[in-house]
Each structure stands twice: as structure tokens, then as C-alpha cells.
Amino acid sequence: MLRECKTKEELQDLFEKTKSFPNFLNVHSDIAVTLEDNFPEHCSKYFIYEEKNGALLVILFAGFSISSHRPELFLCCNLMAEKIFKEKDLWKVFDKVNSEIEISNKPNLWTLVHGKIGKIYNEWFEFRFPSINLIFVPCFKFFMTKEQQSLLVEECKNEILLANGYYFDDNISEKDMEIMIETWKFCDNSESDIMKSIFKHMPISLIRDSLTDEPVSFEHSDTRGCLNHLLTFPLHRNKGLGTSVEKNLCLKMIQKGMIPYKFVETTNFAVAESNIRSKYWTCWKDMNGPVIQYWMQPK
């Protein structure tokens, strides 16, 4: 039976259940933000469908009180759930979730799926909402194991050295925030308020040019602990700034008890290969190789 986790005790129990499997990273981090209760605009819902044998499906509806920001839906399950949950039962689960959050009334909803359950959800979605056309963006998920986190902390225990003429700055101005919003392809000015709130509440890293004090490289974490919008402006590339700003962000996340992870589009071959080679990142794999997750986005 599907149920929603609402109480502090239920959320703490779910927090423990989702701490070890890569597919639950977004749920685990999002629950942490909810339990800390210091992000007033953050208002997620957590639905779970589980069996006594350990099969677990968690459906996270990540919403915000500022309605202009696009909501996101995450279908996260363990291997047992992939094996035993039946299509007819999952359709009932999806119908129940829809009755709670009204998927059809959220035309800008982004959904993350993978594997067998993701395929069933897509079939259910197309049947229930035939007028909504979707595009699918396949991605790899990279995350830091405990060993990789420790390695990063050890190697950066003194400081992260930057090329001459640059410095880190934790004082993020309103202008900086506007630049980050304007340059991110997955964001626009209608989401300005909630993005500024995310910048204030979640870890962020920024490097400035010493001559102009302008931001030249930056990256931030969302409420689920996912790295977002790594950008170095063209005139300042090939100086290691992107690598440095990401290391700095990951260190901040690790200090907060967060597990750094990120999505890389499968078509972004150079970045995917770079992360596969990196000693700091692990690509989520199963017996068939790298797991492909799909962002379902309305056209």
C-alpha cells in the first residue's frame, strides 16, 4: 500500500532507509533539508510503496511554496522493487500519487526515472495524459563514495590553489545571483525568487577575477544535494577554475554531511569521460554497466 511520510519519526526512518543506495541520494538529501527545517520555501512530499521483503519505491515530489518554480518528481527504487513490483500495482500507485499532487495540472513538471519502473511510469503517463508531449534527456549519475570524499578532504586540507589573479568568495551578492540565473539554461527570470533562496540556503562556490572582482566561475547545490550549473566564462577557461570551484563546493557539502552527486547528459561525451576517469567520482552502475536515468520534460 502506498503511504505518505509526514511525521518527523516517519521521515527519520525513511532517511535511514535511503542512505546507502545511489538511486536514493536525491531523496536522502531532500529529507535532510526537511528535517533541518531552515528552508521555509522547501515543501516536498514523500510517498513510499514497500513490501516486507525489502522492496522499496520512493516517489519524491520536490516542490516549493513559490509556485513559479518548476516542481520535480523522482521515482527511486532499490533492486528488489525492480524485480518484484507488478505493472498493475504500479499503475495504482501512480494513480494515487496523481490524486495527491495533480500531475495533469503541472505542465512544467520534470520527472526523473530509470529502469523497468521508469518504463512502466512512462507508459502510464502517456496513457493518462496523451495531450502532453515529452522529451527525454538521458543522463549518467556520478557520486562520491565515502573513500572519495575522504580523499578530497585530505588533498585539500591546506587549501585549493587557484591560478594567479583569482580568489574564492563566499559573499554572494544579488548581482552574482542574477548572473547565475541568467546564464543557466534550465532556469529563467520567472524562477528568480526561489533560485535566490536556494543560493542563500544551500552550498555554493564562486571564484572572482582579482582585477575586476567579477564572478568568473561558479557552481551550486540544489535542495537534494545535486551539483548544478558549473560554469566558467570563456575568457577564464583552461586555468583549472572549473575543477577548483567544484572541489570547493563538494568540500562545503561534505562538511554539511551531504553526499555530492551530479547528472551528466550522455551526449556530453567529454564531460562524461572526464568524470569516469576522475579519482573523485564514481559512476552509478549495475550488472549491465552505467545506469541511464531519464529526465522527462514537457516540450
Side-chain angles (χ1 to χ4, degrees):
M1 178 181 295
L2 182 76
R3 63 185 177 88
E4 182 180 354
C5 293
K6 294 181 178 181
T7 69
K8 184 176 181 180
E9 291 72 23
E10 288 173 331
L11 290 173
Q12 287 175 331
D13 180 61
L14 186 58
F15 184 75
E16 287 299 312
K17 288 180 179 179
T18 56
K19 68 180 181 181
S20 60
F21 192 60
N23 194 25
F24 289 128
L25 279 175
N26 22 16
V27 175
H28 187 75
S29 297
D30 198 90
I31 294 173
V33 174
T34 297
L35 291 173
E36 289 170 4
D37 196 26
N38 60 3
F39 195 157
E41 297 87 356
H42 175 262
C43 52
S44 292
K45 290 179 175 289
Y46 311 91
F47 303 95
I48 67 170
Y49 178 58
E50 61 183 336
E51 298 285 353
K52 292 182 180 179
N53 59 14
L56 176 64
L57 167 65
V58 182
I59 300 178
L60 162 64
F61 176 66
F64 296 90
S65 59
I66 300 176
S67 60
S68 63
H69 187 70
R70 67 173 184 271
E72 295 174 323
L73 193 68
F74 301 86
L75 278 65
C76 308
C77 65
N78 58 17
L79 294 175
M80 183 64 73
E82 282 272 301
K83 292 178 180 178
I84 73 166
F85 285 161
K86 293 180 170 46
E87 181 174 345
K88 63 181 179 63
D89 296 323
L90 289 170
W91 274 55
K92 293 177 183 178
V93 167
F94 302 149
D95 282 335
K96 178 62 176 176
V97 171
N98 181 46
S99 71
E100 295 290 333
I101 65 174
E102 299 182 324
I103 292 172
S104 58
N105 290 332
K106 296 176 175 60
N108 61 340
L109 178 70
W110 287 27
T111 304
L112 184 70
V113 300
H114 88 284
K116 170 189 167 185
I117 291 179
K119 183 175 182 292
I120 294 172
Y121 178 83
N122 179 42
E123 292 169 350
W124 169 87
F125 188 97
E126 290 182 343
F127 183 83
R128 290 285 187 255
F129 315 114
S131 64
I132 301 177
N133 296 316
L134 299 170
I135 59 174
F136 295 85
V137 181
C139 295
F140 299 117
K141 176 185 279 184
F142 292 91
F143 65 99
M144 282 190 176
T145 64
K146 290 183 178 179
E147 293 75 18
Q148 288 170 322
Q149 293 175 51
S150 297
L151 175 64
L152 178 65
V153 171
E154 176 63 25
E155 292 189 351
C156 301
K157 63 183 178 182
N158 295 321
E159 62 178 322
I160 299 174
L161 296 177
L162 296 176
N164 290 334
Y166 299 98
Y167 67 97
F168 286 110
D169 190 5
D170 291 331
N171 297 310
I172 310 299
S173 69
E174 193 81 7
K175 181 182 176 182
D176 296 331
M177 295 182 192
E178 291 172 357
I179 290 173
M180 286 186 279
I181 292 169
E182 291 170 358
T183 55
W184 194 16
K185 70 176 181 178
F186 296 119
C187 188
D188 59 45
N189 289 332
S190 69
E191 300 177 299
S192 178
D193 289 343
I194 190 60
M195 290 308 302
K196 289 179 180 179
S197 184
I198 290 174
F199 295 153
K200 292 175 182 176
H201 291 291
M202 303 304 294
I204 187 168
S205 181
L206 181 144
I207 295 173
R208 296 189 190 278
D209 183 334
S210 299
L211 292 177
T212 65
D213 293 323
E214 292 294 320
V216 297
S217 186
F218 44 77
E219 189 173 27
H220 76 274
S221 164
D222 65 15
T223 57
R224 305 178 318 284
C226 182
L227 278 63
N228 276 296
H229 193 24
L230 172 60
L231 176 67
T232 301
F233 287 112
L235 289 177
H236 305 274
R237 290 175 183 170
N238 300 315
K239 299 179 181 180
L241 299 183
T243 298
S244 296
V245 83
E246 185 159 279
K247 285 182 178 180
N248 182 250
L249 175 59
C250 290
L251 287 172
K252 291 180 178 181
M253 296 173 68
I254 293 167
Q255 290 168 1
K256 288 175 62 68
M258 302 169 70
I259 301 173
Y261 73 96
K262 58 186 174 181
F263 295 101
V264 176
E265 294 180 27
T266 57
T267 55
N268 197 342
F269 303 114
V271 174
E273 286 297 325
S274 175
N275 281 281
I276 288 171
R277 293 193 304 270
S278 173
K279 60 183 177 181
Y280 300 116
W281 294 103
T282 295
C283 183
W284 179 28
K285 299 179 180 180
D286 61 17
M287 63 182 68
N288 298 313
V291 174
I292 307 297
Q293 294 188 285
Y294 292 87
W295 282 102
M296 296 170 50
Q297 305 170 215
K299 287 185 179 178

